[in-house]
Amino acid sequence: MTRKTLPMSLMPAPVEQTIETLPAQRLPGRATRRSPGARRASAAGVQAPARAVVVHSGARDSYQVARALEEAGLLERLVTDLYWPAQAPWARRVAGLLPGAVRAMLQQRHEPHLPAARVRTLVARGLLVLLLDRMRQAPFAWRRRATRRADAALGVCAGRLARATQAVLVTYSYYAYHALSAYSGPALLFQLHPHPASMRRILRRELAAHPDCAESLGKEWELALPEQDYARLVEETRMTTRLLAASSFTRATLVENGIPESAITVVPYGVDSTHFSPGERTPAAGEPLQLLFVGRINQRKGIKYLLEALRRFTSAEVQLEVCGRVVDDLALFAPFAGQVTVRPSVTADELLAAYRAADLFVFPSLGEGFGQVLLEALACGLPILSTTSTAAPDLIEDGVQGFIVAPRDAAALGDRIAWALTHRSELRAMAAAARVRAEAFPWDRFRAGVAMAVGELLLQPEAGRHV
């Protein structure tokens, strides 16, 4: 297999990203459904796949993977739980009768470039999971069981559909074990999060260091799943032809657990830099440094290390706004009254305003498959302070568009915050560089990388499946 770099038109510099590109042949598209690999296999009397079945629940990655394949003429079907067919006449009539908030929620389960005819849904499974998720009083075990049963049903449906249509299978992690158990052809696994064995080690270490965070850490899938189910998450990384990851950190954890690096393609996510854009903020002299954290408020995101770093500063020097769903006890923030503002629920417009009002985005996560909020912050002209266990090393140069530190290092976080506090003019220059950097990561770059990875799989129908 030839390793090439992504064409320069799609490659942000100077951070290097290696993407395995297709050979010089044209991707199989709408006008030419049969790939060169398919023609070779046909000549040998073997039916080769020409399209792909994708499987995931929810509006994962804003449906960008399925959209990428639809635009390239490679999509057989997306198998998912709930999808709103906004283009259907009946759906438009129903939407007109609904409150604006409900319409907005439905629109999140729709992608204008992905026709409903290309989507197969398992509505009952999706509705049950959604209902239990909204019922905060529902026992966690119920929600876990319903989610994993829905994941299994989606996987089986996708595997059977790929087998019936002789398509390749593009499965996100969590659905892959059951999808690949129902299918024996070539497959691509999109590893959403770091390898489960690596994350389990990280979380167990954190649990030992912070037993007061046991409730939230114990609900992370790598610790919460029954052993058989956890073993399946590990096994699915070995059941596929190739793997896709959104960050070098995820790739490193896969390699750490025995997956050949040559089998992994890294394609960073993109961002809508039209929506996420800088505001007109001009800080007044003597104004506190405004920090922003966005994400689930729990210890997996390193929230206690951020609060520990914050102890070095007075409320007149540094203010922190925290936006996200609260998982750990809000008592964590009690000692920081007047310095930390917690907003458990914000609208899209409020989130955009928060990005634009901040001076530095802080995301001290212990382990992320990517960290989409990093790109959103950069696009809003907001320098980032994050860890090596996220996509930050793929996105920025340390000290240019932000800072990268080791996870679990409150002192390093505090040092970078102190620098930002005393170097406001340099921080503004860093903000301009952050916006320029984000513009190198449009969503169409991500879609091109996905189409290349899937197209390469289609061009090698004779490849074995297991890595």
Side-chain angles (χ1 to χ4, degrees), residues 50-382:
R51 298 197 222 175
V53 170
V54 179
V55 56
H56 63 73
S57 65
R60 172 62 63 181
D61 303 333
S62 302
Y63 299 107
Q64 291 291 319
V65 169
R67 175 179 170 179
L69 301 186
E70 174 64 13
E71 290 175 344
L74 302 179
L75 182 65
E76 177 64 42
R77 288 291 186 277
L78 166 66
V79 177
T80 189
D81 50 357
L82 303 172
Y83 188 78
W84 179 245
Q87 294 132 331
W90 70 265
R92 289 197 293 268
R93 289 194 296 270
V94 169
L97 303 174
L98 298 173
V102 177
R103 286 200 304 273
M105 183 178 66
L106 291 174
Q107 286 300 324
Q108 291 175 358
R109 293 297 185 104
H110 176 73
E111 160 54 54
H113 298 86
L114 184 60
R118 290 280 182 202
V119 182
R120 178 172 293 186
T121 57
L122 275 65
V123 175
R125 296 280 187 180
L127 287 176
L128 177 59
V129 172
L130 185 63
L131 176 64
L132 288 174
D133 188 58
R134 299 299 170 95
M135 295 173 57
R136 298 298 179 211
Q137 69 276 21
F140 172 74
W142 291 10
R143 286 183 274 135
R144 181 192 66 198
R145 190 179 306 115
T147 298
R148 293 302 289 152
R149 286 180 176 176
D151 292 347
L154 287 169
V156 170
C157 178
R160 289 174 177 173
L161 180 60
R163 185 177 62 197
T165 57
Q166 297 184 316
V168 300
L169 184 60
V170 179
T171 172
Y172 278 70
S173 44
Y174 299 103
Y175 322 94
Y177 179 85
H178 291 91
L180 295 170
S181 295
Y183 168 82
S184 58
L188 176 70
L189 171 65
F190 195 150
Q191 185 65 31
L192 274 177
H193 297 131
H195 192 283
S198 294
M199 276 311 308
R200 176 175 270 199
R201 286 192 290 272
I202 290 169
L203 294 170
R204 282 179 168 171
R205 178 186 179 188
E206 198 61 26
L207 188 59
H210 296 284
D212 52 318
C213 296
E215 183 177 357
S216 71
L217 291 171
K219 291 178 180 177
E220 298 290 345
W221 253 205
E222 296 86 357
L223 296 183
L225 292 178
E227 281 303 308
Q228 182 186 44
D229 204 3
Y230 166 78
R232 288 171 174 173
L233 287 187
V234 173
E235 179 63 21
E236 66 185 19
T237 63
R238 300 191 290 259
M239 295 173 68
T240 183
T241 312
R242 293 192 57 81
L243 296 93
L244 196 65
S247 70
S248 298
F249 175 67
T250 298
R251 176 177 60 190
T253 65
L254 290 166
V255 173
E256 176 183 56
N257 288 279
I259 305 301
E261 186 172 359
S262 60
I264 308 164
T265 301
V266 175
V267 185
Y269 287 134
V271 66
D272 180 354
S273 57
T274 300
H275 175 73
F276 292 101
S277 59
E280 298 295 328
R281 182 171 186 268
T282 304
E287 182 178 306
L289 183 74
Q290 299 290 332
L291 306 181
L292 176 66
F293 169 94
V294 176
R296 289 170 66 88
I297 305 172
N298 63 12
Q299 191 53 16
R300 179 168 180 159
K301 303 298 185 184
I303 193 68
K304 288 191 71 172
Y305 297 108
L306 175 53
L307 294 178
E308 184 179 342
L310 201 60
R311 293 182 184 277
R312 290 172 52 175
F313 309 97
T314 67
S315 59
E317 292 174 319
V318 178
Q319 290 280 320
L320 169 64
E321 184 171 20
V322 176
C323 298
R325 182 173 170 181
V326 179
V327 180
D328 277 329
D329 194 337
L330 278 174
L332 282 172
F333 299 98
F336 300 91
Q339 189 174 18
V340 177
T341 302
V342 180
R343 302 176 66 187
S345 178
V346 294
T347 66
D349 288 342
E350 289 170 341
L351 177 59
L352 181 59
Y355 280 131
R356 290 174 172 175
D359 297 310
L360 182 65
F361 183 76
V362 189
F363 191 67
S365 180
L366 308 180
E368 294 289 322
F370 188 81
Q372 184 64 20
V373 290
L374 296 172
L375 263 183
E376 293 173 359
L378 291 170
C380 291
L382 187 55

